[in-house]
Amino acid sequence: MRVLVLGGTSFTGPHVVRALSTLGHQVTVFHRGRSSTDLPAGVQEVIGDVTSPLDPLRRVRPDVVIHMVAYSASDAERFLAVFRDNAGRAVAISSAEVYRAYGKLHLAETGPPDPLPLTEDSPLRESRFLYRERKDLGVDTATYDKVLVEQVLMAQRELPVTILRYPGVYGPCDPYRRFQGWLTQMAAGQEIRIAGDHAAWRWTHGYVEDVATAVVLAATLDHAAGRVYNVGNPGAPTTAETIEELGRAAGWKGRVVAVPASEIPADQASPHPHNFAHHMEVDTRRIRAELGYREIVPREEGLRRTIEWERARLAPAPAPHK
């Protein structure tokens, strides 16, 4: 099978490319040439940018095209302009941030908490461009919105599309360094203080290689066409439970203490307000039942690899004064 991957050289992408290549598929990766990832032998490369017209990719004529970097409505429209009549089907990476609960979490919408866990049929956000004021995400936040990406892709029928809604993905090469702050605090002391509402907040995570497995299944199983799937670990621990689990894996002997938000040091508090009454626990039963999705890396091993990678990049502690 001919598979074209748009993106595919940074975080989950390399795992997707390696798995597809190992399965014997003919893989081509379209990327900007800025990453140093070693691609498997036999994988073809095309250098370019998804924010430009994708017409040079017409010659690939893939059976399946995987769009890992669709961030805006215009990204989705450029994609369809080339592949709606030039590919068998598509897989697009979205995010659980499309749910209305996420808009409420970020104070962009109001109302009571939505029923949990969030299923693929849970209400989506009506708010748009939640990150417009952010400058730290590495994308054009003026146009970034996965809700719009999904709407453009699912409004047409010429190209069957599978939508995968990612959880909070962690692991080596995580561009957001999700666990860095906690590991830094563990290295500095025996107590991590966290605001009480944040301590009790639930968020579904997924280890990078496990999440990549979901992409491979969606790309290689024809009956995934036209479906939407949540991806992630079953259940969702609280933030405090996640920190405690991370601490055990790191050999940390300290404790997590829930305190009033006013007691959190400014350098440890989030600069962005949240309403942590709105949890991001998603239901992953559909992808497990329909595609046979299962985690391939034990939870403890995934945390160990993540900790090892993060520790190699932690800032060294200042030298003591003499």
Side-chain angles (χ1 to χ4, degrees):
M1 183 170 69
R2 294 187 305 277
V3 184
L4 173 63
V5 182
L6 307 189
T9 60
S10 57
F11 189 26
T12 57
H15 299 288
V16 172
V17 171
R18 282 193 286 270
L20 288 168
S21 180
T22 297
L23 290 171
H25 299 293
Q26 181 182 328
V27 183
T28 299
V29 179
F30 178 77
H31 66 104
R32 294 176 296 177
R34 299 180 185 177
S35 301
S36 58
T37 301
D38 292 327
L39 298 174
V43 171
Q44 303 297 309
E45 294 182 77
V46 179
I47 304 301
D49 195 312
V50 295
T51 61
S52 301
L54 302 175
D55 295 272
L57 296 175
R58 288 184 181 278
R59 61 180 175 80
V60 179
R61 299 196 66 82
D63 298 299
V64 178
V65 55
I66 304 172
H67 201 335
M68 304 201 71
V69 287
Y71 299 138
S72 67
S74 57
D75 286 345
E77 289 162 356
R78 276 190 297 272
F79 177 73
L80 290 176
V82 170
F83 294 109
R84 63 163 34 104
D85 59 356
N86 199 43
R89 57 189 184 86
V91 177
I93 306 308
S94 186
S95 166
E97 69 187 40
V98 299
Y99 289 116
R100 183 172 64 188
Y102 193 78
K104 294 177 180 178
L105 171 71
H106 284 265
L107 308 182
E109 302 189 28
T110 60
D114 288 327
L116 295 175
L118 301 170
T119 73
E120 290 85 353
D121 299 316
S122 292
L124 303 188
R125 279 190 289 109
E126 295 183 4
S127 54
R128 299 288 182 265
F129 311 117
L130 295 185
Y131 306 126
R132 181 164 278 169
E133 305 304 319
R134 299 277 295 271
K135 305 297 182 184
D136 58 336
L137 298 180
V139 297
D140 182 359
T141 54
T143 60
Y144 177 96
D145 201 302
K146 290 286 190 177
V147 173
L148 297 179
V149 171
E150 289 194 15
Q151 287 180 347
V152 170
L153 294 177
M154 300 303 281
Q156 54 81 47
R157 292 291 178 266
E158 295 94 334
L159 179 66
V161 178
T162 304
I163 299 291
L164 296 180
R165 292 175 178 160
Y166 272 16
V169 185
Y170 67 94
C173 300
D174 175 8
Y176 299 113
R177 309 290 297 275
R178 299 184 194 280
F179 295 162
Q180 179 192 37
W182 296 333
L183 289 170
T184 299
Q185 291 182 63
M186 289 176 191
Q190 293 300 301
E191 185 174 276
I192 292 180
R193 298 162 69 82
I194 183 171
D197 58 349
H198 189 190
W201 181 61
R202 298 182 180 275
W203 183 20
T204 297
H205 285 78
Y207 182 64
V208 59
E209 289 184 48
D210 295 329
V211 171
T213 298
V215 182
V216 173
L217 289 170
T220 56
L221 296 177
D222 288 341
H223 63 272
R227 299 293 281 161
V228 177
Y229 297 106
N230 288 332
V231 183
N233 295 335
T238 66
T239 303
E241 290 167 343
T242 298
I243 298 172
E244 290 166 350
E245 184 180 23
L246 185 68
R248 289 192 294 272
W252 181 63
K253 305 301 183 183
R255 62 178 188 147
V256 179
V257 181
V259 299
S262 59
E263 296 184 18
I264 303 298
D267 63 343
Q268 295 176 14
S270 171
H272 311 291
H274 296 84
N275 180 350
F276 288 111
H278 302 283
H279 301 278
M280 290 304 299
E281 179 181 1
V282 303
D283 188 331
T284 63
R285 288 178 294 180
R286 177 184 289 181
I287 193 170
R288 295 173 189 277
E290 295 186 8
L291 304 189
Y293 173 74
R294 298 291 183 274
E295 286 73 19
I296 61 172
V297 177
R299 172 77 169 170
E300 297 78 7
E301 176 62 16
L303 288 173
R304 186 196 66 77
R305 294 178 190 176
T306 305
I307 292 165
E308 181 178 320
W309 184 83
E310 285 286 4
R311 278 177 168 167
R313 288 155 183 82
L314 289 177
H321 294 291
K322 295 182 180 179

